[in-house]
């Protein structure tokens, strides 16, 4: 679902990122408003006026979505649930949290802050419309855009308050169940089952639009939304389960110290002949005179032109050491799993400064989780901390 993300700017200290899908969608929405929606709903303007109305609306939509997400982010920060970024993607925005929420009260208030902000924005745009209409009755296009933005914000508020996880209403519901049962995993499961029911309703409605009304556009739109709600709910359940099973375990518990390392001076063909074929590792940490320098993966080797294998050296192909591919021995295992999932990595290096200790692989963590889940199905219980 996610495309490449770019950071647009920082707002209240949070990086605001946009997914490629959002940029594509904003162009599509702008085009639809200018050529279809506005001429139909507000007839009698010139094409230039419709263009200005379209651009003003897309700016207003952008501000509305950011306001909604910033409201989530500010409350999250207030309750010490750090926000990593605000990302705009195909269905609006999402405030990406670092890890799971720490207590139900914070989660509840964070969840409802977004829709409350949208409702306030809706009232604000409607009030602005009334004022413009009163004092500048001839500025028809201006108050029509303000009225449109008011309605849109109200729609965002109403849609998000549906108690279907991972929508805001579903998150609030999860917080309530979490408080009642004192079990985040159970609460996430129940809330996302309701989310799944809502997703099926959306998919059924999508089919209805397509079959009965031959309305492909809104059919596809509701269908995509249904798939998104379903997929995101299932992902959140997995995420919460793995977090609660791994608990406070650090990566040192899952460390594989017996890993063959290579020198940066090797050529790629030497690496393939003498290391890859012999040790069957999918990646090799690169160690230069006792100091960890980076990692070279099979994937990086295979993406090279084979004729270059004879003269290219490991040093120029490896990924240098960064905080995206290496962690300290006390790093939380669940955070490491998150890191690997987010960056689609098969492993992370574990190092104490430049001193290489070993690697932690995604496969090992996943195997640990699947075994623990089978052996001790009662284990996933997180006791809520005080709010
Ligand atoms: Zn929201």
């Amino acid at each position: 679902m996610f495309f490449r993300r770019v950071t647009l700017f920082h707002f209240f200290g949070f990086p605001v990122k946009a997914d490629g899908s959002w940029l594509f969608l904003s162009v599509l929405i702008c085009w639809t408003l200018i050529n279809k929606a506005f001429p139909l709903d507000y007839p009698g303007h010139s094409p230039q006026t419709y263009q200005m109305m379209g651009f003003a609306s897309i700016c207003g939509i952008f501000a509305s979505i950011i306001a909604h997400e910033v409201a989530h982010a500010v409350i999250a920060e207030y309750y010490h649930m750090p926000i990593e970024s605000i990302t705009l993607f195909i269905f609006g925005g999402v405030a990406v949290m670092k890890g799971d929420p720490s207590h139900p009260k914070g989660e509840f208030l964070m969840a409802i802050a977004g829709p409350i902000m949208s409702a306030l924005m809706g009232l604000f745009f409607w009030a602005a419309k009334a004022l413009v209409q009163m004092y500048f009755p001839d500025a028809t296009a201006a108050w029509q855009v303000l009225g449109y933005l008011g309605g849109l914000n109200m729609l965002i508020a109403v849609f998000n308050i549906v108690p279907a996880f991972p929508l805001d209403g579903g998150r609030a519901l999860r917080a309530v169940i979490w408080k009642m049962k004192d079990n985040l995993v159970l609460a996430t499961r129940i809330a996302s089952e309701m989310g799944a029911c809502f997703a099926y309703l959306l998919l059924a409605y999508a089919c209805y639009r397509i079959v009965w009304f031959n309305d492909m556009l809104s059919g596809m739109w509701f269908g995509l939304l249904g798939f998104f709600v379903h997929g995101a709910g299932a992902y959140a359940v997995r995420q919460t389960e793995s977090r609660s099973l791994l608990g406070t375990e650090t990566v040192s518990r899952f460390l594989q110290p017996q890993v063959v390392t290579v020198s940066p001076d090797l050529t790629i063909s030497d690496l393939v002949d003498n290391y890859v074929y012999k040790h069957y590792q999918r990646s090799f940490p690169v160690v230069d005179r006792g100091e960890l320098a980076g990692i070279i993966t099979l994937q990086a080797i295979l993406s090279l032109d084979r004729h270059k294998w004879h003269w290219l050296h490991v040093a120029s192909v490896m990924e240098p050491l960064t905080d995206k591919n290496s962690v300290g021995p006390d790093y939380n295992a669940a955070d490491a799993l998150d890191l690997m999932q987010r960056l689609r990595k098969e492993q992370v290096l574990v190092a104490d400064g430049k001193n290489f200790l070993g690697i932690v692989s995604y496969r090992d963590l996943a195997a640990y989780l699947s075994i623990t889940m089978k052996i001790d199905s009662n284990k996933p219980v997180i006791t809520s901390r005080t709010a």
Side-chain angles (χ1 to χ4, degrees), residues 68-69 72 93 111 114-115 160 168:
H68 177 108
E69 298 308 329
H72 284 312
N160 274 289
D168 296 336

Side-chain angles (χ1 to χ4, degrees), residues 150-160:
L152 190 82
N153 271 284
M154 287 302 183
L155 199 71
I156 294 176
V158 170
F159 177 75
N160 274 289

Side-chain angles (χ1 to χ4, degrees), residues 68 71-81 97 100-117 160-180 184 187 191 384-385 387:
H68 177 108
H72 284 312
V74 167
I75 301 290
E77 289 282 329
Y78 182 79
Y79 282 99
H80 308 294
M81 300 184 286
M97 266 169 64
D100 267 333
S102 49
H103 49 80
K105 187 182 170 191
E107 160 94 332
F108 181 81
L109 293 175
M110 182 199 84
I112 61 166
I116 289 177
M117 178 56 109
N160 274 289
I161 212 73
V162 174
F165 194 81
L167 301 179
D168 296 336
R171 294 195 83 112
L173 174 77
R174 175 172 84 155
V176 172
I177 303 172
W178 180 11
K179 176 84 186 164
M180 279 163 36
L184 176 61
S384 59
R385 287 166 229 162

Side-chain angles (χ1 to χ4, degrees), residues 343-363:
L343 303 174
R344 297 199 178 93
K345 287 191 182 295
E346 290 181 26
Q347 70 286 304
V348 279
L349 298 162
V350 182
D352 199 0
K354 291 254 174 184
N355 182 23
F356 176 63
L357 300 173
I359 65 162
V360 168
S361 75
Y362 182 84
R363 246 185 255 181

